Amino acid sequence: MEKLLKKSNVRKRLCSIYKGYAGTFFLISITIVSNIIICFCQPLVRTFLFDKGIICGNWKVILFSSGIMIFFFFFDGINNYLQLYCSFKIRNVTNYRMVSAGLKKIMRLNTNKINEKGALTFVENLRADANTISGIADKNIIVLISNLFGIIGGVIGLFALNWKLTLLSLFIMSFKIIHTSYFAHLQKKMFRKHIQIRAQMTSFANNISLNIRNIKLWNLYPKIHKKLRFISRSEINILFKLQLTNESQITINNGIDLLLNISIYIVGTLFYLDGKITVGELMAFLSSIGLISVPIALVSYLKNEFAKIAPSLERLDSLMALEDEYTCETKKEKLSFVPSVISFSDVSFSNNKKKILSGISFSINKGERIAIWGRNGAGKSTLINLLLRLSTPTSGKICFDNFSVEEFDIDSYRNIFSYVSQDQIFFDETVEENLFLSHKEDLEKMIDFIPNSLMFDKDFFQKQMVANGSNFSGGERQKIALLRATTKRGHILILDEATANYDQQSVVEYDQYISDISSAYDYVFLITHNIGELQLVDKVIVLDQGRLQEIVTPAEFMSKYEKHNEREDLFL
């Protein structure tokens, strides 16, 4: 019963994916009906050719029958072109839609969920699954399905020739169907295992790309090669088993075909000797038996494709079922005001049962500039992630005035933030295009408002950046990131270790710039280890081991810093 439900679910999912192509499938159905008619007529035309033409030496019949078969050939060619058009349209558009929907889902996943596997793993799995599922609309599959329906016409035509030989043929070919189903079941298990191995390989490649620096510094080449060898051997073993299964299936198919032909030869000869069949009917039967034996043999190929699709559908459905930022977002209102107060009320956050933040409560008034200070791992970045709604509190709530931030539409909510972090992401575009990511603005007008501390030559803005901006210095990347935040013109500025790659002179210029522009923002949050930056803020929120240690003024903090500057329990 469980197997039947799974098969039914696969069919339902495929129907839901391809339900928008009714017109295209109608065109395919026309080609299938045409193929049924051709398969029905071919045995009759061949019988007519042999009995009335070749045996009797009647050239008119021979030429007429040949003309009909030529017509069938060209008509079949037209069918093939129509099927190619339909296949191309369905497969590529469906693939695009699945990848588009999947990418939208991945980009909206909780950041913790993405970090578990890595974004690359999610994307590579999505592409592989979309290719596999859309492969059901491949031209070869459509032609195969057309041939399978052609069995109907072929069987009717063969029954018209000799019903006894046809029943014998169908009985023998039933063994093909049985063994094909058995091998398809084996291959489905192997395909599922292969998908898991490919996912391991993708995750492995993702880890290498993220840790290439550590691999070099720690000389991890032997460990990497050992892991690669293990995954590769697993994949080779499963591919060998698949190949062995395919070869075994082909061998058994060929054996059944041999048994079928020998049986037709023996029984057909006995029927001819008894006068129950003519030479032309026997020859036509032998030449037309392929109309049903070949498509049945190809059923194994079709079953293999469905065996591949089932695990891919399961993984794609698992992805689409993950909770994302849009879950229950449909009725939420857009944020249309700047809050007078931002408050954290008993906010806690855990990740994988590990407590990161515990019982955080504080309020920030409009116009205040805040520094968040603490040791590495104290929870500073987590606090900001919660404010940006990149993560969701395990308990407690964050409010804008008296409204929970969860009540607002996620996109309109994030639009009020301008964010700069230590590690910024840049796209393979010009500097100017990286500045104006979500909107277009006149660069000439923007230049007039850029302070000297962040100013570049005009030609600099047209330089091409490679992925992650690796062709620029760390200081240049950080300045570009800061400029990008200002072009967004949000109401809340968040600077997360924004001066990490600055030299001392740049830090001084940066401090002056923040002092100059902070009045343009309703709130400013600084995550910093730079004591000098504290002069830019009104309050310092001190975190220690995920708890709020205290909220002090910069002067109070500096006083405490002087007293503890040589102790290990300093808030650094």
Side-chain angles (χ1 to χ4, degrees):
M1 184 64 182
E2 185 178 352
K3 292 181 179 179
L4 289 175
L5 286 174
K6 286 184 178 180
K7 290 180 180 179
S8 175
N9 289 334
V10 170
R11 295 190 189 101
K12 287 180 180 178
R13 287 291 292 113
L14 289 176
C15 288
S16 67
I17 290 172
Y18 292 105
K19 66 181 180 181
Y21 299 97
T24 307
F25 281 113
F26 177 73
L27 187 58
I28 293 174
S29 66
I30 292 176
T31 66
I32 290 174
V33 172
S34 301
N35 192 53
I36 292 174
I37 295 172
I38 291 174
C39 290
F40 167 74
C41 294
Q42 279 183 345
L44 303 180
V45 172
R46 285 170 179 164
T47 300
F48 183 67
L49 173 64
F50 280 116
D51 284 344
K52 305 297 182 181
I54 296 176
I55 294 177
C56 297
N58 190 329
W59 283 101
K60 288 184 178 180
V61 172
I62 293 172
L63 293 174
F64 176 74
S65 301
S66 299
I68 293 176
M69 286 192 289
I70 291 173
F71 169 76
F72 286 163
F73 171 79
F74 282 107
F75 196 81
D76 187 55
I78 293 172
N79 273 352
N80 286 334
Y81 278 110
L82 287 174
Q83 290 168 352
L84 175 62
Y85 165 76
C86 295
S87 167
F88 185 84
K89 178 180 177 181
I90 296 173
R91 176 167 189 172
N92 288 281
V93 174
T94 302
N95 186 290
Y96 165 75
R97 288 177 176 174
M98 281 190 288
V99 171
S100 178
L103 281 176
K104 182 179 179 181
K105 182 72 176 184
I106 291 170
M107 289 188 290
R108 290 294 184 178
L109 289 178
N110 183 286
T111 51
N112 293 325
K113 178 60 69 173
I114 293 177
N115 292 335
E116 285 178 9
K117 293 184 178 181
L120 178 62
T121 300
F122 275 108
V123 172
E124 289 298 322
N125 289 347
L126 170 64
R127 291 181 60 206
D129 293 338
N131 284 332
T132 301
I133 295 168
S134 61
I136 197 66
D138 185 79
K139 189 213 180 252
N140 293 330
I141 302 294
I142 293 178
V143 170
L144 173 57
I145 294 173
S146 177
N147 288 336
L148 288 177
F149 278 97
I151 291 176
I152 299 172
V155 169
I156 295 173
L158 291 176
F159 260 102
L161 292 177
N162 190 288
W163 66 271
K164 292 182 180 179
L165 278 179
T166 304
L167 287 177
L168 174 65
S169 300
L170 292 176
F171 173 73
I172 294 174
M173 282 187 285
S174 66
F175 292 102
K176 264 191 179 183
I177 298 174
I178 294 172
H179 100 273
T180 294
S181 298
Y182 171 72
F183 278 101
H185 176 69
L186 292 180
Q187 288 166 334
K188 183 177 180 179
K189 291 182 177 179
M190 295 180 193
F191 283 129
R192 184 175 281 109
K193 181 66 175 177
H194 188 221
I195 281 180
Q196 294 172 352
I197 295 172
R198 291 303 302 167
Q200 291 177 12
M201 181 63 81
T202 301
S203 178
F204 174 69
N206 185 38
N207 285 331
I208 290 178
S209 66
L210 294 175
N211 294 286
I212 190 67
R213 187 169 182 270
N214 290 328
I215 291 171
K216 291 175 179 292
L217 294 176
W218 289 84
N219 194 21
L220 299 178
Y221 305 110
K223 182 176 182 178
I224 295 298
H225 289 152
K226 182 179 179 181
K227 181 71 172 178
L228 176 62
R229 188 163 53 248
F230 173 77
I231 298 175
S232 297
R233 282 180 177 175
S234 299
E235 184 172 21
I236 290 171
N237 287 337
I238 198 68
L239 289 175
F240 176 74
K241 290 179 180 179
L242 276 169
Q243 190 64 39
L244 188 63
T245 303
N246 286 334
E247 289 300 321
S248 300
Q249 190 172 357
I250 291 171
T251 300
I252 295 174
N253 266 336
N254 291 338
I256 294 175
D257 286 338
L258 178 61
L259 176 63
L260 175 64
N261 288 328
I262 291 174
S263 299
I264 293 175
Y265 286 142
I266 294 174
V267 177
T269 301
L270 292 175
F271 284 175
Y272 171 72
L273 294 175
D274 289 343
K276 296 179 180 178
I277 192 172
T278 66
V279 173
E281 288 172 341
L282 181 57
M283 296 298 293
F285 195 96
L286 287 168
S287 62
S288 301
I289 192 64
L291 294 174
I292 57 175
S293 65
V294 173
I296 288 179
L298 292 175
V299 166
S300 60
Y301 177 75
L302 187 61
K303 282 184 171 289
N304 288 347
E305 291 303 308
F306 274 99
K308 293 178 185 177
I309 286 172
S312 292
L313 274 175
E314 291 172 7
R315 189 164 66 180
L316 183 61
D317 286 346
S318 296
L319 168 64
M320 301 308 289
L322 291 175
E323 183 177 349
D324 61 34
E325 294 175 338
Y326 270 160
T327 304
C328 303
E329 284 279 321
T330 52
K331 296 183 179 179
K332 293 191 176 181
E333 296 182 2
K334 290 187 176 182
L335 180 60
S336 58
F337 67 93
V338 179
S340 299
V341 178
I342 298 175
S343 61
F344 280 61
S345 301
D346 197 26
V347 172
S348 297
F349 178 77
S350 300
N351 186 23
N352 294 328
K353 298 182 179 180
K354 181 181 178 181
K355 202 82 167 181
I356 308 298
L357 292 176
S358 180
I360 303 294
S361 296
F362 62 84
S363 295
I364 305 298
N365 296 317
K366 187 176 181 179
E368 288 187 319
R369 295 171 294 184
I370 306 299
I372 302 175
W373 190 278
R375 298 184 182 94
N376 289 331
K380 303 184 299 295
S381 294
T382 301
L383 188 73
I384 293 299
N385 285 340
L386 293 174
L387 180 60
L388 291 168
R389 290 175 63 186
L390 294 172
S391 300
T392 304
T394 307
S395 62
K397 65 180 180 177
I398 305 169
C399 292
F400 277 10
D401 294 341
N402 294 320
F403 301 95
S404 170
V405 296
E406 300 294 329
E407 297 179 20
F408 302 113
D409 167 74
I410 189 74
D411 291 333
S412 64
Y413 175 82
R414 288 190 182 140
N415 277 338
I416 71 170
F417 291 92
S418 292
Y419 177 72
V420 182
S421 72
Q422 178 180 349
D423 299 315
Q424 282 289 335
I425 299 299
F426 297 98
F427 295 93
D428 189 10
E429 298 173 341
T430 65
V431 173
E432 180 181 356
E433 289 170 325
N434 271 283
L435 287 180
F436 305 109
L437 290 178
S438 58
H439 66 289
K440 186 63 179 173
E441 195 166 326
D442 189 344
L443 180 62
E444 293 295 329
K445 293 180 180 179
M446 189 65 197
I447 287 176
D448 294 336
F449 296 96
I450 297 177
N452 292 331
S453 59
L454 293 172
M455 188 59 189
F456 297 104
D457 294 333
K458 289 186 179 181
D459 293 341
F460 180 86
F461 294 100
Q462 302 309 317
K463 288 184 178 180
Q464 185 72 25
M465 303 187 77
V466 300
N468 293 332
S470 58
N471 57 330
F472 288 77
S473 70
E476 287 174 329
R477 290 197 301 271
Q478 206 66 16
K479 289 180 180 181
I480 295 170
L482 190 56
L483 275 174
R484 178 162 65 189
T486 60
T487 64
K488 187 179 179 184
R489 298 181 181 178
H491 296 279
I492 302 174
L493 176 63
I494 296 177
L495 302 167
D496 188 353
E497 303 285 2
T499 60
N501 296 311
Y502 280 21
D503 55 34
Q504 188 59 40
Q505 180 59 34
S506 296
V507 169
V508 172
E509 294 174 349
Y510 163 86
D511 289 349
Q512 182 60 48
Y513 172 66
I514 295 300
S515 179
D516 293 340
I517 62 99
S518 60
S519 59
Y521 292 91
D522 296 292
Y523 297 88
V524 177
F525 290 87
L526 276 76
I527 300 177
T528 181
H529 283 104
N530 186 352
I531 293 292
E533 290 183 31
L534 296 185
Q535 63 182 332
L536 304 173
V537 302
D538 304 308
K539 294 179 181 178
V540 181
I541 295 176
V542 182
L543 297 178
D544 186 32
Q545 297 181 358
R547 294 182 178 275
L548 178 62
Q549 188 80 2
E550 58 182 340
I551 300 177
V552 296
T553 65
E556 291 171 336
F557 184 88
M558 293 297 291
S559 174
K560 195 168 290 190
Y561 172 78
E562 292 295 335
K563 293 178 182 178
H564 298 84
N565 60 355
E566 299 202 0
R567 293 179 53 184
E568 293 183 357
D569 62 351
L570 180 66
F571 306 127
L572 289 171

